[in-house]
Amino acid sequence: MKDQYGREITYLRLSVTDLCNLRCVYCMPERGVEKLSHSDILSVEEIGELAQAAAELGITKLRLTGGEPLVRHGILDICRLVAQTSGIAETCLTTNGTLLTKSASASLNYAEALRECGVSRLNISLDTLDPERYAKLTRGGELKTALDGIEAARAAGFADIKINTVLISGVNEAEIRKLVELTRGTETRGELHVRFIEMMPIGEAAEWASERFLENSAVLRAVTELAPVGLDGVARLYRLPGATGTVGLISPISSHFCPDCNRVRVTSDGKLKPCLHSADEIPLRGLHGDDLLQAMRAAIFGKPQRHALGGKAISKSTRSMNAIGG
Ligand code: SAM
Ligand code: SF4
């Protein structure tokens, strides 16, 4: 369906949990993460109902995210339900990748199980290729588990895996070329697509984003041979000569993409957020059938025209990224 500004809204990002096995410094506080009780978060059935209603309103792509979706109990049932929803053409999942090698059943690891449940695409977050820096950025994560996760996803048959990298000034800036080189692949493994994302002043990052913020143009300065090859949703795409994978620049701050925004979000406790950076949240829990459809329709129609980030402005959202579903 179209919103009040004529944008066709076709993409829903749905958070299945606020919890995470990592603590990335720009995303979650080190301690004191409030654990929602089981009854506070959407049940598997509620998520199924929401996906159905979203599809009826014209959503064709649904991304499961979090927190870390793979720590959510019942994640495979959720994936299966969403993937089987008539009208949802793409079921995607964003993960930090560290749990993809873990056993999901006697014979399948999580990467294989996700594929079997109908997940069509994976985005895996990786901000650095340096083990020490990874441990520091994630507050204790092990780089190898994320890299093994990427390999497990590939082995399970996921194609066009995207790596999400948040640019952080003075932290992973010097690694831009190395990360871009992942788009070439090697003799032993295929290429990846790398998406550089500008850090947004939200949640933890709201405190220090301005000094750590790095515009995406830094990627083009660091790797001058990148040639533009078009657009993919909100990402501007580039390619290294001879590489098969693409480099995408997602620039919510330096060139906000609000006029082309096609997405809305649902938090793990069932609030619809028409805009990531607005404080507006429309509660959906307890609504069913026509009531649910009507509430979602009104919320989507009322999506704000744009956010006001940039300069010194910080997000008006009262939640951190792990709580919204990044
Ligand atoms: N745990 C999963 C993961 O890390 O991929 C899914 C949830 S995480 C919140 C989704 C994405 O949001 C990650 O790629 C993460 O790097 C990004 N993210 C978190 N905080 C951010 C911020 N302040 N600015 C930009 N991206 C952010
Ligand atoms: Fe967890 Fe993802 Fe946030 Fe990192 S970015 S703390 S992995 S939810």
Side-chain angles (χ1 to χ4, degrees):
M1 66 170 275
K2 283 191 170 41
D3 73 1
Q4 59 181 326
Y5 299 104
R7 292 169 296 195
E8 197 69 58
I9 307 300
T10 54
Y11 181 13
L12 170 64
R13 298 171 76 107
L14 194 150
S15 173
V16 294
T17 180
D18 288 9
L19 300 179
C20 186
N21 58 330
L22 300 180
R23 289 282 179 280
C24 299
V25 291
Y26 52 76
C27 179
M28 278 179 91
E30 187 167 12
R31 273 182 285 272
V33 180
E34 208 180 309
K35 187 171 186 241
L36 294 177
S37 77
H38 188 63
S39 59
D40 286 333
I41 63 167
L42 292 169
S43 67
V44 174
E45 294 71 28
E46 284 174 309
I47 292 175
E49 212 177 327
L50 261 168
Q52 182 62 53
E56 283 177 41
L57 294 173
I59 299 292
T60 56
K61 174 174 171 182
L62 196 151
R63 177 175 301 283
L64 298 166
T65 178
E68 173 49 45
L70 298 188
V71 305
R72 165 73 200 251
H73 187 70
I75 183 63
L76 297 176
D77 296 330
I78 293 172
C79 292
R80 205 172 287 115
L81 262 183
V82 171
Q84 286 170 355
T85 303
S86 148
I88 302 292
E90 275 185 278
T91 302
C92 311
L93 186 132
T94 299
T95 171
N96 60 38
T98 59
L99 302 171
L100 287 169
T101 56
K102 214 178 98 180
S103 295
S105 68
S107 58
L108 300 180
N109 64 27
Y110 266 92
E112 294 161 335
L114 289 173
R115 190 132 176 81
E116 200 198 57
C117 291
V119 173
S120 38
R121 280 169 180 278
L122 283 187
N123 281 17
I124 303 180
S125 303
L126 185 70
D127 299 330
T128 173
L129 292 165
D130 177 88
E132 271 179 43
R133 192 167 291 140
Y134 186 86
K136 233 171 153 173
L137 269 175
T138 58
R139 297 198 185 96
E142 197 190 336
L143 176 65
K144 186 172 181 313
T145 59
L147 298 179
D148 288 350
I150 294 171
E151 287 315 311
R154 236 199 279 265
F158 282 102
D160 291 327
I161 298 168
K162 287 181 191 157
I163 301 299
N164 284 354
T165 301
V166 175
L167 276 174
I168 313 169
S169 174
V171 176
N172 58 3
E173 202 175 344
E175 287 189 74
I176 290 175
R177 179 169 284 278
K178 230 170 138 187
L179 288 157
V180 164
E181 290 288 337
L182 294 175
T183 62
R184 282 194 200 283
T186 64
E187 266 177 36
T188 51
R189 57 157 186 76
E191 82 291 343
L192 296 163
H193 300 279
V194 179
R195 299 281 179 264
F196 289 97
I197 303 166
E198 287 176 349
M199 187 167 55
M200 294 177 281
I202 186 167
E204 286 301 289
E207 301 295 319
W208 44 276
S210 59
E211 67 229 45
R212 288 290 180 204
F213 175 74
L214 188 60
E215 271 197 20
N216 257 336
S217 53
V219 175
L220 302 179
R221 281 197 302 278
V223 190
T224 49
E225 59 277 34
L226 280 173
V229 290
L231 288 174
D232 172 26
V234 295
R236 283 175 292 134
L237 296 187
Y238 297 81
R239 206 189 289 275
L240 276 177
T244 36
T246 57
V247 172
L249 303 187
I250 301 180
S251 315
I253 309 294
S254 64
S255 66
H256 75 96
F257 43 72
C258 306
D260 299 317
C261 186
N262 63 348
R263 62 192 62 183
V264 292
R265 292 174 154 83
V266 171
T267 61
S268 61
D269 56 352
K271 311 261 169 67
L272 193 146
K273 278 184 80 73
C275 170
L276 171 61
H277 298 297
S278 153
D280 289 352
E281 297 187 345
I282 295 88
L284 300 177
R285 284 197 93 184
L287 300 177
H288 305 279
D290 278 350
D291 292 341
L292 178 61
L293 274 173
Q294 227 171 46
M296 288 178 76
R297 191 179 287 119
I300 294 174
F301 185 75
K303 183 173 161 71
Q305 190 169 22
R306 58 162 298 172
H307 68 65
L309 297 186
K312 293 244 176 282
I314 62 166
S315 180
K316 292 192 172 53
S317 174
T318 49
R319 298 184 189 234
S320 301
M321 280 299 261
N322 70 299
I324 298 169

